[in-house]
Each structure stands twice: as C-alpha cells, then as structure tokens.
Amino acid sequence: MNKYLYIIILLFFCLEGCVDNDEVSGRMEIFEKPELSDATAANRKIKEMFEKYNTYCKYEFTTDEYEWDWTTRNSMEYTLAEEEYVPEVLDSLDKWVFQIFPEEFSKKYGPLNVLMVDSLGFVDAESIINWDTWEVEYVYYFHYVEGGELATNYMAIAPVSKRFKEQNMDDLKRWWLSLFVEKMFEQLPYPTKYARISAEGYNGYIGSSEDVVTKYAFVRRSRNIVLGNKIYVEQDFGDFVSFIVYTKPSEKEKYYAKNSNIKIKVELMKEYFLENFGINLPEARE
C-alpha cells in the first residue's frame, strides 16, 4: 500500500512541475508562409525578396491586414499601388535599404511585411461658416505622408506607381532607410549613450517654429501628423542612420556647425553598429 501511495505522490509532483503557472497575456498572430508565384514580373520580384530576406512585399492586401492592431493610426488613408511599378520599386528598396547592411543582418532584423501603396495620408477637415445663412461647410484636405509609414505588423512604402519616377530620389532613400531602421529598433540593444543626448526632445511636443537641429540635435522633424510634432528615440535613431549613409560630408558639416552634438551622435551611432554587429556603416561621398 505504501508503495502505491509513494508512486501516486511522485506522479503528482511530476505533473505539477510540468505546469507553467505564469499568466500569458496579449495577442499572438500566426501568419502562414505566403504562396509565391513566378507568373508576372511583380510576383517574381516579390518571390526574390522573400527568399533573400524573409520579407513579404505585397501590393495587394486586405483591409484587415492594413488595419491590424493599428490603434493610433487607423484614420490613415491609402491609394492602391500599380503592379507594373512593383519590380522597379523593389529593386530600389533592395539597393537603397536592405543592401546597406550585410544580408544576414537585414534578413534577421528587417520587417516581416512590406505593404506597397501609391500614397498614404490623413484626411482632415476645416469648417467654414457661411455668415449669411449660418450654415457650416466643410473643406477636406489630404495630407500626404512622404515615403511611407510604420504599423505594428508592417512597413508601408510609397509611391509604387508612375509617381515614383517624379520623386526626389535622395529624399526617398533617406525616408525608406529611416523607416527600415526604426522598424527594427525594438529588436536591437537600446542605444543608451546615444539616447541621452536628445532626451529633452523625446520628452515633449516640439513647436512648429522650433529649430530642432540647434535645440535638440535632431536631423529631421517628426513625420507623423496624427502624433503631432513629437519625435521618439526610434525615429531619431533611424533618421541618424539615414543621415550617415546618405548625407554628403559638406552637408553634414552644416549640421555640425549648428550643433556639435550632431557630430557626437553620428560617432556614437557608428560605434554602436560596429561594437554590436561588426558593421561599418557606409557613408556618402561628395
């Protein structure tokens, strides 16, 4: 009898040890591997990007995919990409963004999904009172978000249409690389020394007339209209990688002259990538 009692008690403790008592909270989405095709030039390029970087680039997607967990930007509107421009745009994205880093780094830290659109922006309305009739009329405006935007589950890029050829390519390179690095930020070691320098700027909203270079050592204003002029460390981090890679030395000197902390942040950023990943960030030449 004692023998059987001992076995029962032993089994109880074994089962108890197998139970994880930690509470699990939050939401987890499981995405199936995409079905890739060689049917068109666009599909072939999408397949190439996926096989090379594990990044699924899509120019067709559902509303649910677009709005997935998009709690702060759900008022953003978009227009559809044009399929014939997908290969050219993805060639540029690959060259200007993914190839800036070693292939394995981009594959490990790059976005899982890239949504391609023609345009992104916010619809805003201004009320106008007709003083003769006291009726209120509304005039609607579309505020474009240049280059693209980020959401929880993807990076969106624009314009994927005939407008692509009309863009300032230097600006587009900077915007896309900044978004790419900002998207990977949460996976990287926190840049403590770097973030200290502009901490005051991260802690509040920035006035529309403030000189962000001189006052906060930023190289770019906030891109997000919905969130006002607030700049977060992750956007600043992406902006500085882009600044290092795509700003010519003579142009950099103008920023250094306005605020010596810009140069300090540049050196800290280069040190960060070298020490953590063995990566020497490429720099623009004259």
Side-chain angles (χ1 to χ4, degrees):
M1 180 69 179
N2 289 338
K3 176 182 177 182
Y4 292 115
L5 181 61
Y6 174 78
I7 293 173
I8 291 170
I9 293 172
L10 183 62
L11 285 171
F12 172 80
F13 279 107
C14 288
L15 289 172
E16 181 72 5
C18 293
V19 175
D20 185 357
N21 291 316
D22 293 338
E23 292 186 6
V24 177
S25 60
R27 177 182 175 188
M28 181 173 68
E29 289 281 324
I30 304 298
F31 297 96
E32 296 181 1
K33 182 178 179 179
E35 295 183 6
L36 302 170
S37 165
D38 292 313
T40 67
N43 288 339
R44 286 192 291 275
K45 188 61 189 179
I46 289 168
K47 182 178 180 180
E48 177 189 321
M49 291 291 286
F50 184 79
E51 291 176 345
K52 190 174 182 181
Y53 300 114
N54 283 341
T55 295
Y56 189 22
C57 304
K58 308 173 73 172
Y59 64 93
E60 294 179 314
F61 45 86
T62 66
T63 303
D64 285 344
E65 288 176 284
Y66 178 71
E67 295 181 347
W68 187 86
D69 201 27
W70 211 6
T71 54
T72 58
R73 302 182 178 92
N74 54 15
S75 62
M76 183 179 284
E77 306 288 338
Y78 69 94
T79 56
L80 295 173
E82 297 176 22
E83 180 181 351
E84 66 182 285
Y85 293 94
V86 168
E88 182 180 5
V89 169
L90 288 185
D91 278 337
S92 299
L93 182 69
D94 190 5
K95 180 181 178 181
W96 298 344
V97 177
F98 284 82
Q99 292 182 27
I100 293 302
F101 303 99
E103 186 173 315
E104 284 305 310
F105 181 87
S106 290
K107 188 173 184 177
K108 181 176 181 179
Y109 296 108
L112 292 175
N113 298 288
V114 172
L115 300 189
M116 294 174 280
V117 298
D118 171 34
S119 62
L120 281 168
F122 301 93
V123 176
D124 197 6
E126 179 183 347
S127 59
I128 300 175
I129 300 175
N130 185 323
W131 296 107
D132 293 328
T133 62
W134 288 94
E135 292 180 350
V136 178
E137 300 176 355
Y138 292 94
V139 178
Y140 293 92
Y141 301 93
F142 189 78
H143 299 283
Y144 284 98
V145 174
E146 303 291 351
E149 187 47 288
L150 299 178
T152 303
N153 193 47
Y154 61 81
M155 167 180 164
I157 61 169
V160 186
S161 69
K162 61 185 177 184
R163 295 192 310 110
F164 176 71
K165 296 180 182 295
E166 302 166 2
Q167 302 301 300
N168 181 319
M169 296 304 175
D170 288 336
D171 287 342
L172 205 55
K173 290 175 184 178
R174 294 186 183 99
W175 291 331
W176 285 357
L177 180 56
S178 179
L179 285 171
F180 182 81
V181 174
E182 180 182 346
K183 184 62 179 167
M184 69 172 66
F185 181 83
E186 64 183 2
Q187 305 176 68
L188 306 181
Y190 191 79
T192 304
K193 290 192 292 184
Y194 171 91
R196 280 197 202 108
I197 295 175
S198 295
E200 181 186 355
Y202 307 140
N203 290 330
Y205 289 89
I206 298 168
S208 58
S209 62
E210 287 189 87
D211 183 342
V212 297
V213 176
T214 302
K215 189 169 183 179
Y216 301 116
F218 293 144
V219 292
R220 185 183 174 199
R221 300 192 69 83
S222 173
R223 67 171 187 279
N224 198 307
I225 297 169
V226 165
L227 299 179
N229 288 322
K230 189 171 179 61
I231 297 178
Y232 294 91
V233 62
E234 51 266 41
Q235 181 196 325
D236 181 44
F237 189 84
D239 287 344
F240 261 82
V241 172
S242 178
F243 178 77
I244 290 168
V245 173
Y246 285 123
T247 304
K248 294 178 180 179
S250 58
E251 189 65 24
K252 284 189 176 86
E253 289 298 330
K254 296 177 184 178
Y255 283 83
Y256 300 160
K258 292 186 72 173
N259 190 332
S260 60
N261 277 332
I262 298 285
K263 188 168 187 177
I264 293 172
K265 288 173 72 174
V266 163
E267 294 305 318
L268 286 173
M269 182 66 75
K270 292 193 291 187
E271 177 186 290
Y272 173 90
F273 273 92
L274 185 59
E275 290 185 354
N276 286 286
F277 307 106
I279 294 175
N280 282 298
L281 291 175
E283 296 193 61
R285 298 179 180 179
E286 293 295 345

